[in-house]
Structure formats: C-alpha cells, structure tokens
Amino acid sequence: MSTLDMTSTHSRPVPHPKRSLITRLHMGTGVVVGIIFAALAYYALKSSLLTYTDKVADPLTPHTDNIVLLGSMFAWSIGFLVGIGAFIGPWRWMIGKDLTDEEILYMAGDGQGIKRYFKYCTDHKVVGIQYLVGVMTLLGVGGTMAMMIRTNLARPGGHFVTATVYNSLVGLHGITMIIAMIIVATGPFGNYIMPIMIGAYDMAFPRLNALSWWVLFTAIPVLCSAWFLGGIPTGWTAYAPLSVQAGPGMNAFVATIIIFAVSTAVAGMNITTTVVAMRTKGMKWNRVPIFVIGSTISVALAIPAFPTFMLAMVQTGLDRTFNTGFFDANMGGSGWLYANLFWIMGHPEVYVILIPGVAALMEIVPVFVRKPLFSYNAAIMGFAGIAGLSVLVWAHHMYIAGWAPSLNGPFMVTTEMISIPTGLLFLVLIGTLWRGKPWMKLPMLSVFAFIWDFLIGGITGIYLSDVPADGYLHGSMYVTAHFHFTLMGAALTGAIGGLAYWYPKMTGRMLNERAGYISFWFVQIGFNVLFLGMFMAGAEGQPRRVMDYAAVFAHSNMISTIGAYGVGIGMIILLWAVIHSWTKGTIAPMNPWGAKTLEWTVPYPVPLTNFDELPVITSDPYGYGKGK
Amino acid sequence: MADHIEQQLAPTPGERTAIFFKRTDVVRTSLLFIFWTAVFVVLGVVFYPKWMPLVMSTELKSAEAIMVWFTVISAPIAGLVLAITSNAFLNMHRGDTPPPDGPAVRTNGPVVAVWTITSLLFALVAIIWGLTEMNGQAVAAARDAKSAITVEVTGSQWLWTFNYPAQGIETHELNLPVGVPVVFDVKSADVNHSFWPVQLGVKVDANAQVTTVIHTTPTKIGAIDVKCAELCGLYHAYMETNGAVMSKDDFNAWVTAQGGHNA
Amino acid sequence: METPTQSEVSGGKRLVSAIAFLVLGVAVVSTVGFTLHSVSADSQKKSYATVNGTADVNGATLKHAFVSESVFPDDATARANHVNRTNTHPWPFYTEEHLVLPAHSLVTMTLKVYDGGEKLNTNYFAKVLGTVDNTMLVDGQQVSSLAPDAVQHTFTIHGLPTSTQDSLFVNIPLPKMSDAEMEKNGFHTVVFSFVTGGAGEYVWNCEYPCGDGTYAKFGAVMGQNGYMSGKVSVVNG
C-alpha cells in the first residue's frame, strides 16, 4: 500500500504533482460540473419524454415530472463527484495505470492548509473534520426546524405556518436529524480519532473515505431542494402509498436516501475493514478501546440495514415514475411491504445511532473516574446482544398495522429481550462509577445526563413494546417523546460528550468550559421539560405529527414549547463555544485528560501519517486504579 | 473512608458484610436508592391515572395497568442505577487535575451474573404479562363474536365514516351502546390511516384493499374522540371526529333518528 | 500531568462574543421562522362575509351573512370569466381561501363551479351534510345528495371536535360540468346555508380526489395549501 511509503515524507514540503488534473479540482469545480450534469439531464429527459406529457387518460402513463426531477438529482450527485475528481483514480486503473506517489500525497492534502477541507482529500483527519462541520450544520438546520414545529404547536389553533409547511417541517426535521445522528459519532470521531486509537497510519481505503463524505455532501442540496419543490407530507418514515401520492418534493427525499445509503455503505465497509485489518501490533481484540468496538459494531449493523431502505426508496421512485405499483394495493402491491422494508432498516438504525454514543461515553468514564472500565466483556456482550437482537424486532413498529397480528407475540418477546443487553450497558457505566470520584469536566457531565435520559427512554420503551399498551400509545406524542429520549437524550448527549472529550485532539484547543456548562444545563433541563410535556400530551391522547390539536392538550404542549426554546438557546451557546474555542480557546496539551488510549500520544497537529513508528500495545487502555 | 476500611486485615465473610453496610458510600447509596425508587413508584402511580383519558373499555384499562405496574416494577432497577449515579455525582472532584485513582476493579463476576439474571427476570415478567393480556383479549373477542355489533370504518383523506350494516346507517360520528362488544372492520379509501377511538384504548391501521379488525367492549357511558394516528397528508391533524358511548336506549333512538332500523 | 496554558482572549471579550452570537443565533432562527410564517400567510387573503338582515332558524333569530366562492379548473378559465388570477401551477382552485364568518349566524354561501369531474373515492362525500335541512340548491333545485360519479369537488369544513370551540362540520358535493358545458364556460350555481356556533378556527378542503395524481387520483394539488384547501375563521362581533 502506497500510503505506507509516506511515513518519512510527511514533514518536508512536497512539490505539487506537475500537470495533474487533481491539483485543479475542488468543491467549486464539483458544484459547477454537478450543476452542468443536472441541467443536461433535466433538458435531455424533459425533451425525450415530451411524448408522454399529454394528459393521457391511461393511468399507466409515466409521470414525467418525477422522472425529470429524480434524473436531475442523481445527475447532480454524479456530476459533483466527477467535478471534484472522485473518479480520477478508478479511471487510471481502468486504463491500466494508477496515481503517482506525488499525486497520492497531494490527495492526502499534505501541506495545503485550509484548502484541503474543500478538496477530495484522503486524510482521515480531514474527513473527520468535514464530517464534524457537516454534522453540526445538519443539526443546526434540523434544530431550527424543531423550533418552528414547537412554535406552531405552542397553542391550539396556532397556525403559525400552513399545513403544507408544517408537514414538511416534520418530515424534513426527521430525516435531517436521522442523517445527522447516524453520522454524529462515527463520522467525526470514527474518522478522525479511531484510526489513531488503533494505531494505524490511515483508514484502510483512504479514497473511499473521501468518497463517503463527498457522496453524503451531494445529498444535502438534494434534501434542501425538497423545500422548493413543495415539501414532503409524509414524515421521515415516508410511508407508502402516501409517498407515492405526494407532490414533487418527495423526489428529493427519495434521491437523498438513495445517495445517503451509498455513503453509509462505503463508510461502513471502510471502518469495519480498518478495525479488522489495521490494528497495530499487540492490539488484540481484548485490548481494543471500547469506542472502537462500539463504532465497528454500529457500522457493521448499518451495512446490511441501509440497503433495504435504499431498495424501498428505489421502489417508491419507480411507483412514482413508472406506476410499478409495488406499494399500491389497487395494483396488487402492498403498503405493508414498504413498512416491512422500512423497519427492517429502521430498527437496527436506531441502534446504529445509539451504540457509538454509548461507546464514546464508555471511553470517557474510566478516564474521568480513574478506574478501569467495569466489565469490558459485559460492554461487548451488551453491544453485540443489542446488534444481534435489533435485526429481529422490526415489526414492533407494526403491531397495530394489521399485518400479521399473530406475529405480535414473537416480536414482543424479542423486543423485551433487548432490555437485557441494554441493562449490561447500564451496568458497565454504573460499575465504573461505583466508588469513584468523577472528575467533573464537560465530557463527564454528559455521562450523568446520558444515564438519566436513557433510563427514561428505556423504561418507556418497555411499555411501548408491550402490545396492549402499544395499542393505546402507538402513533401518539408518547412515542415521539420516547424516541427523543433515546436518540437525543442518549445518543446525542453521548456524541456531545465525545466532542468535548476529543475536541482538544481535533482542534488543538480546549472547549470553553464555562460556556459548555451553561449550554449543558440549558440543553438538559430544556430537553427534559420538553419531552416530559410530550409524554403528557401522548398519554392524554394527542397523535403525532399533527399541526393543530384540541384545547385539552394546551398545557402539555405549552410546556414542551418552553422546554424546546431552552434546548435551542443551549445549543446556540454550544455552537458558539465550538466555533470560538476552535481559534481562540486555550491551547491544549497533548493529553489534557491523562488518558491512556493512543490518540493522546500524538501531538497536535497530528502528523499526516499519525505515527512516525507504529506503537506496540501490551495492555488494554484501562489500566487505571490502585490495588487489585 | 472506603480505602481505610480496605486496609484492614482479612475479615470473615460476616464481618465483611457488616463492614460493607457501614461504609459511608453504601449508606448514602442505599438512602438514594430508597429515594429514587419512591420517586419512580409515585411517578407511575400518579402520572398515568392523572394524564390518561377516562378509561371507557377493558382494553384501555389493561394498557393503563401495564404502564402503571411496569413503572412500579422497574422502579427498584431505575432506583439502583440512579442511586449509584447520583452518589458518584455528589462525590465529584473539581479542579484542573484529575482525581486520585480509584480501586482497580475490572469486573465482579457475581454482580454481573445477578444483574443479568435480574434483567432477564424483569424481561420475562413483561413478556408474560403482555402475552397473558393479549391472550385474554383474543379469547374475549372470540367469545363475543356472536353478540357483537359490527361497525365498518372507512378512513379517507381526511374524514372517518362509519357504516353500521345491521342498522343500515352511515355517519361521521361514532356512537356505540354501552356494554355491547363491538367489532371494527377498518379499511381505507386511499392512503394509510390509523383508527384510534382514544377512550377505548385500541388502534388499528386502515389500509387500502384490506380490512383490518379490532374488538373492544365499551364499559362506560361518555364522549369519545376518534383520531387518525398515522400521518395521512395535508389535513391529518383534522381527521378527527367525535362520538359517544351511550345507553342502549339512547343508541337505538339515535339509530332511528339517522333513518336506520334497530336489529 | 500537563495543564492547559492560559487563553490569550480576555474573559470580557469572550462574554461579549458569546452574547452577540446568542443574539445572532436567535435572530437567524426567528428570521427563518417568520419568513416561513409570512410565506404561508401570503396566500391567506381574508374574505369577509357581509351581514345583511336577520334570519329565523328553528325559532331563533340570527344574523344572516352572505359569502361567495368560485371553483375553476385552472387560472386560464378564471381569466376567461373575468376573475383575475395567476397561479404557480395549472391546478384547479377555489378563489377564496380564508373565509371569515360571523359567530352565531346563518351563513348563506353561493358557489359558482366551473370544473368537470369523475368518481369519488368515498361515496359519503356525495351527501349534503351540516347545512340547514341537509340540503342545498343546485341552479335553484333543492337536493340532498349527488350521484358519486357526478361530483367535481366538495367543499368540506372540518374542525377539531374535541376542541373547546363549537364543532362545525359541513360537506357540500359540487355537481360536475360535462366537457361540452366546460367548453362553453358553463357553470353551476350552488347555494347552501349553515349555522355557525361560537368563535373558532376551522379548515376547509376539497374531498374530491382531483389533480391527476399518482395514487388514488389524489394529485399534488391536494397535498398543498392554497388551491383546494383553506381556513375558516368564525369571529365574534
């Protein structure tokens, strides 16, 4: 592998490769070529489909608007990748050559300063920062939409926005946050920190690493275009046949998911291979840091899960364009088919989101309590058990769908069983806390918040998994509150803890502590108030995703809205802290927390190949504590 | 405190237990355990009966019981987790240098085993409870099939319509006689909806071309709200209608007023 | 153990920067919100009912209010009938979106309908519901329902029945025009009256699946506010 040859060259300036196309391509050329591709596809499809545009009474006439829009969106994505130079390597291979060593080094962004963040850069640390900025942008956009939703629901009959806008807010908030949460820990930390943690020079497939980010990047404008195409009425679940019926904005959703699924497949494969194949000498499986284990299990779970969502979206796209009727019961299809495909992805997916967040916190606790991680094996059993069971529980989202009621019992059994591996995660955390004196720094605070939030999320999950209780609660605000406790209260809190913990290594500076504390309390108190109100509304009987509600729900909704504004203020403060500390924070020492994992043995800025000489590992990184 | 006790010379098992329960952190955690357990018990017993609507069917009654009792049963587990966590929180170390190292406990076999078995038992209680309830509802539905009245429910964007075939009426209000088992045959004229008569505590999706069925028996007279619990497009929020559980005489009078005939 | 070196930025400057950022953040989010709000509100021109005299309904004397609407298959037909309108999409539409009606009144609504039609998804909407006597006048003739395949649109008012406001449910099926009549710009005049309760906010929409959609004949026009849907405000005074 040619990256290995770069070991000794990282410190001296390297001349740019002469006459190479690579040096001239960047995000700007990507956008230009992407727009050109999209425009070409638009006009080509539009003119070639003219014959169909007459309003023929035949219900099987293709829907040209949808074909043109979908085609243009995919063309944009491919065009952008062409324009940023993603296919230069594969093209060279095809004609029997490869990139020169100089080009490879150039692609790694060596000596290019801030410019490399806007290029097809293969350095895992650059990709990690790209993901971090991308995630924060998505969370900001999704959070803004959440504020709009809560504003509209502040009082009954509010009508702050119209139903079209409200439904789009709900759907786009959902999908934006889901995408953000899937990559929130494995994107920034999985890419930046994890290869250093396992003592590798880079990821196994550096070019695929860049590809996974830039493919994801192309999905963002596509998703945003939904707003200008009339929005989406379906929520993030995009249930068919509502999604088949929906207006042109739905095409943006379909294209986004297909593009995003490509990105996760590439990233998942890359991370898994890196961890399996590139651990440094001595890092046996029982010495691997728990964050690495968690992230790997998470992405490995995503690899089989997302293709089903992609498939469901391909079918939705075909139903919307060529009247294939996969999900149209009037044509012999079935909406239940969609629901099954969706939740076969959807339930593993929530654990894809959750596990890296928990794993990040498990990495943090031993450092701040100065005790070994309690029962490393139980942690792995917990993750593995959750991952294993999570593929067998999807139909608990369909207890009341009417599809196979006789399967409700078996799915209830598997779902309730998940509380056992989940319990192990709690045991690991509290076992490590027991008899410790936690060092009350920002990352540690997240651990406490996580335990409270995930406990509430977990217990309410037990009622929801019980069929008779779900008969009442399903589709109500109660469900919304439950999954926000797990996805936001647990997974996002874990990721924020991870950010506070690894921030010094990723930026060279400490995250502003006072702002961090203020933000923490605003977010956590606001969050609990917000979703306590939503539990009330759900228990009272308010359905999810409604733009208006009866007066009996007025109090609980007002409580929720007040809490939401608290979360919003806290998040803005956190964003300030992240941006401000990046350039103006106190300079961080190499190992500010006194941790024992490998990423704290390298200086900032981290050298291009991380280590001059790969370290040799003789024990796991949790050798804290005195006595036996 | 704890460290001091650890340094004593090999005590007998009985002494060790006695010492264990005298440790300050153990005492404090125990008190916190009682506090948090009580919090969750109170939360379960107070929150749901206060916030849930009037229980007007056996199904809602069993749903509410599950929520109350599962909270109470899980209270000790939640209490233990939160006791240890809040004890650690109170024990915090501030400052710019890390705290002194804690004991190097890497695992504790019996603790892991007891924890796992306890959570397994807890899961089993939840499973058995749920399966028993489901079975009871299925048995009741089969038993009542003959005496039940049938209501054909159609969801369309964005209105519920109710057809009472035996009475020969079609309405957009759901009125039911008290104490008579009812079978809802639910379908959709277009996209998916979810039929939710809130106070009856049951719910089933409305799908195109397929009929889904739920059973219940209204047990109390009062108003019911019928809502749609599956996002169905623009005016999903307004796909609500009202109805009532009424005495048999009132129901018959209502049917007659609608131009139907009493079976 | 290394300790972090001190920051080069003073505490006061940091505080100013943080507060400025917070204000900016709140301003950005609010701007997005109010932009969405005003974009939505633009299409909500209000049409006020005019009160003219009183009417006796079931022995009670109520204010009598009048309001009118038209339904066109597209904006070209509207312009041909001297209704000036330019729409973004070539969709059928109601001319008035936000009706403001007086509370506790008899409201008589006159609808001129110009569109053709097909078959309803749900036959129930072919019934006249919620009006005085559950009937309407179609070109002067009293009817209580239409054939489900002779409907062009429906005018249906919904509220949240569990709300503390009075419930209001009205459903008017509108008779379709034949193709030949549409060529000649023909229309039906539908007149109906209903009684409003106390003040409240309601919505109206069409329940006829219009717009050549990809599923259940439910086109994009049915999924967006402004063409086949709107609001009804019942106000005091």
Side-chain angles (χ1 to χ4, degrees), chain A residues 42 46 49 53 62-71 248 251 320-321:
Chain A
Y42 185 85
K46 192 124 190 157
L49 293 168
T53 47
H63 297 277
T64 51
D65 292 3
N66 294 340
I67 298 174
V68 170
L69 281 172
L70 278 173
N251 298 315
R320 291 176 53 80
T321 50

mmCIF file of all heavy atoms in Angstrom, chain A residues 42 46 49 53 62-71 248 251 320-321:
data_model
loop_
_atom_site.group_PDB
_atom_site.id
_atom_site.type_symbol
_atom_site.label_atom_id
_atom_site.label_comp_id
_atom_site.label_asym_id
_atom_site.label_seq_id
_atom_site.Cartn_x
_atom_site.Cartn_y
_atom_site.Cartn_z
ATOM 1 N N TYR A 42 -31.699 17.334 -17.000
ATOM 2 C CA TYR A 42 -33.026 17.942 -16.977
ATOM 3 C C TYR A 42 -33.559 18.120 -18.400
ATOM 4 O O TYR A 42 -34.648 17.678 -18.738
ATOM 5 C CB TYR A 42 -32.960 19.287 -16.254
ATOM 6 C CG TYR A 42 -34.296 19.952 -16.062
ATOM 7 C CD1 TYR A 42 -35.095 19.631 -14.972
ATOM 8 C CD2 TYR A 42 -34.770 20.892 -16.971
ATOM 9 C CE1 TYR A 42 -36.316 20.234 -14.790
ATOM 10 C CE2 TYR A 42 -35.997 21.505 -16.810
ATOM 11 C CZ TYR A 42 -36.771 21.177 -15.703
ATOM 12 O OH TYR A 42 -37.987 21.760 -15.525
ATOM 13 N N LYS A 46 -36.379 15.903 -20.188
ATOM 14 C CA LYS A 46 -37.590 16.663 -20.467
ATOM 15 C C LYS A 46 -37.958 16.534 -21.951
ATOM 16 O O LYS A 46 -39.107 16.281 -22.293
ATOM 17 C CB LYS A 46 -37.375 18.125 -20.102
ATOM 18 C CG LYS A 46 -38.629 18.932 -20.093
ATOM 19 C CD LYS A 46 -38.805 19.594 -18.749
ATOM 20 C CE LYS A 46 -40.195 20.189 -18.686
ATOM 21 N NZ LYS A 46 -40.704 20.397 -17.383
ATOM 22 N N LEU A 49 -38.967 12.957 -23.094
ATOM 23 C CA LEU A 49 -40.230 12.440 -22.538
ATOM 24 C C LEU A 49 -41.427 13.267 -22.976
ATOM 25 O O LEU A 49 -42.531 13.056 -22.489
ATOM 26 C CB LEU A 49 -40.160 12.422 -21.010
ATOM 27 C CG LEU A 49 -39.161 11.433 -20.421
ATOM 28 C CD1 LEU A 49 -38.969 11.696 -18.946
ATOM 29 C CD2 LEU A 49 -39.615 10.009 -20.647
ATOM 30 N N THR A 53 -46.212 13.864 -22.158
ATOM 31 C CA THR A 53 -46.727 14.939 -21.311
ATOM 32 C C THR A 53 -48.180 15.283 -21.598
ATOM 33 O O THR A 53 -48.799 15.984 -20.821
ATOM 34 C CB THR A 53 -45.866 16.201 -21.424
ATOM 35 O OG1 THR A 53 -45.626 16.440 -22.797
ATOM 36 C CG2 THR A 53 -44.578 16.053 -20.663
ATOM 37 N N PRO A 62 -46.240 7.150 -17.751
ATOM 38 C CA PRO A 62 -45.197 7.560 -16.797
ATOM 39 C C PRO A 62 -45.385 9.009 -16.348
ATOM 40 O O PRO A 62 -45.882 9.830 -17.110
ATOM 41 C CB PRO A 62 -43.907 7.411 -17.607
ATOM 42 C CG PRO A 62 -44.245 6.509 -18.725
ATOM 43 C CD PRO A 62 -45.687 6.700 -19.016
ATOM 44 N N HIS A 63 -44.976 9.270 -15.120
ATOM 45 C CA HIS A 63 -45.091 10.629 -14.590
ATOM 46 C C HIS A 63 -43.803 11.372 -14.899
ATOM 47 O O HIS A 63 -42.803 11.230 -14.192
ATOM 48 C CB HIS A 63 -45.366 10.580 -13.093
ATOM 49 C CG HIS A 63 -46.663 9.924 -12.796
ATOM 50 N ND1 HIS A 63 -47.856 10.588 -12.851
ATOM 51 C CD2 HIS A 63 -46.957 8.644 -12.496
ATOM 52 C CE1 HIS A 63 -48.845 9.748 -12.573
ATOM 53 N NE2 HIS A 63 -48.327 8.558 -12.360
ATOM 54 N N THR A 64 -43.833 12.139 -15.972
ATOM 55 C CA THR A 64 -42.601 12.733 -16.484
ATOM 56 C C THR A 64 -41.955 13.695 -15.493
ATOM 57 O O THR A 64 -40.740 13.734 -15.386
ATOM 58 C CB THR A 64 -42.881 13.477 -17.791
ATOM 59 O OG1 THR A 64 -43.990 14.345 -17.578
ATOM 60 C CG2 THR A 64 -43.189 12.519 -18.898
ATOM 61 N N ASP A 65 -42.753 14.467 -14.746
ATOM 62 C CA ASP A 65 -42.166 15.426 -13.796
ATOM 63 C C ASP A 65 -41.245 14.708 -12.820
ATOM 64 O O ASP A 65 -40.143 15.165 -12.535
ATOM 65 C CB ASP A 65 -43.268 16.118 -12.982
ATOM 66 C CG ASP A 65 -44.095 17.025 -13.869
ATOM 67 O OD1 ASP A 65 -43.823 17.047 -15.089
ATOM 68 O OD2 ASP A 65 -44.991 17.697 -13.336
ATOM 69 N N ASN A 66 -41.728 13.586 -12.313
ATOM 70 C CA ASN A 66 -40.933 12.860 -11.325
ATOM 71 C C ASN A 66 -39.675 12.265 -11.951
ATOM 72 O O ASN A 66 -38.610 12.263 -11.336
ATOM 73 C CB ASN A 66 -41.774 11.749 -10.685
ATOM 74 C CG ASN A 66 -42.912 12.316 -9.859
ATOM 75 O OD1 ASN A 66 -42.874 13.475 -9.469
ATOM 76 N ND2 ASN A 66 -43.925 11.512 -9.599
ATOM 77 N N ILE A 67 -39.803 11.773 -13.182
ATOM 78 C CA ILE A 67 -38.632 11.192 -13.853
ATOM 79 C C ILE A 67 -37.577 12.274 -14.040
ATOM 80 O O ILE A 67 -36.394 12.082 -13.734
ATOM 81 C CB ILE A 67 -39.020 10.603 -15.227
ATOM 82 C CG1 ILE A 67 -40.042 9.478 -15.043
ATOM 83 C CG2 ILE A 67 -37.791 10.100 -15.966
ATOM 84 C CD1 ILE A 67 -40.592 8.931 -16.339
ATOM 85 N N VAL A 68 -38.011 13.436 -14.516
ATOM 86 C CA VAL A 68 -37.067 14.521 -14.795
ATOM 87 C C VAL A 68 -36.374 14.964 -13.509
ATOM 88 O O VAL A 68 -35.147 15.106 -13.456
ATOM 89 C CB VAL A 68 -37.813 15.701 -15.457
ATOM 90 C CG1 VAL A 68 -36.918 16.926 -15.524
ATOM 91 C CG2 VAL A 68 -38.292 15.305 -16.840
ATOM 92 N N LEU A 69 -37.144 15.122 -12.448
ATOM 93 C CA LEU A 69 -36.548 15.598 -11.196
ATOM 94 C C LEU A 69 -35.579 14.581 -10.611
ATOM 95 O O LEU A 69 -34.460 14.921 -10.226
ATOM 96 C CB LEU A 69 -37.649 15.912 -10.182
ATOM 97 C CG LEU A 69 -38.352 17.250 -10.393
ATOM 98 C CD1 LEU A 69 -39.539 17.372 -9.464
ATOM 99 C CD2 LEU A 69 -37.395 18.405 -10.169
ATOM 100 N N LEU A 70 -36.010 13.323 -10.552
ATOM 101 C CA LEU A 70 -35.130 12.291 -9.987
ATOM 102 C C LEU A 70 -33.850 12.180 -10.808
ATOM 103 O O LEU A 70 -32.747 12.131 -10.257
ATOM 104 C CB LEU A 70 -35.846 10.939 -9.953
ATOM 105 C CG LEU A 70 -36.791 10.705 -8.782
ATOM 106 C CD1 LEU A 70 -37.555 9.407 -8.980
ATOM 107 C CD2 LEU A 70 -36.020 10.651 -7.466
ATOM 108 N N GLY A 71 -34.000 12.162 -12.131
ATOM 109 C CA GLY A 71 -32.832 12.053 -13.006
ATOM 110 C C GLY A 71 -31.863 13.201 -12.784
ATOM 111 O O GLY A 71 -30.649 13.003 -12.675
ATOM 112 N N PRO A 248 -44.069 16.814 -5.929
ATOM 113 C CA PRO A 248 -42.700 16.709 -6.448
ATOM 114 C C PRO A 248 -41.609 16.759 -5.384
ATOM 115 O O PRO A 248 -40.522 16.222 -5.595
ATOM 116 C CB PRO A 248 -42.585 17.886 -7.413
ATOM 117 C CG PRO A 248 -43.760 18.749 -7.166
ATOM 118 C CD PRO A 248 -44.811 17.920 -6.535
ATOM 119 N N ASN A 251 -39.627 13.578 -4.446
ATOM 120 C CA ASN A 251 -38.495 13.074 -5.233
ATOM 121 C C ASN A 251 -37.177 13.390 -4.544
ATOM 122 O O ASN A 251 -36.234 12.595 -4.590
ATOM 123 C CB ASN A 251 -38.494 13.701 -6.630
ATOM 124 C CG ASN A 251 -39.743 13.332 -7.393
ATOM 125 O OD1 ASN A 251 -40.146 12.173 -7.392
ATOM 126 N ND2 ASN A 251 -40.383 14.307 -8.017
ATOM 127 N N ARG A 320 -43.546 6.056 -8.316
ATOM 128 C CA ARG A 320 -43.867 7.457 -8.591
ATOM 129 C C ARG A 320 -43.618 7.845 -10.040
ATOM 130 O O ARG A 320 -44.115 8.874 -10.490
ATOM 131 C CB ARG A 320 -43.022 8.371 -7.691
ATOM 132 C CG ARG A 320 -43.390 8.298 -6.230
ATOM 133 C CD ARG A 320 -42.446 9.154 -5.412
ATOM 134 N NE ARG A 320 -42.374 10.516 -5.929
ATOM 135 C CZ ARG A 320 -43.274 11.455 -5.681
ATOM 136 N NH1 ARG A 320 -44.290 11.190 -4.897
ATOM 137 N NH2 ARG A 320 -43.149 12.654 -6.191
ATOM 138 N N THR A 321 -42.769 7.059 -10.724
ATOM 139 C CA THR A 321 -42.455 7.431 -12.096
ATOM 140 C C THR A 321 -43.151 6.529 -13.099
ATOM 141 O O THR A 321 -43.868 6.987 -13.977
ATOM 142 C CB THR A 321 -40.938 7.360 -12.324
ATOM 143 O OG1 THR A 321 -40.478 6.097 -11.849
ATOM 144 C CG2 THR A 321 -40.231 8.472 -11.585
#
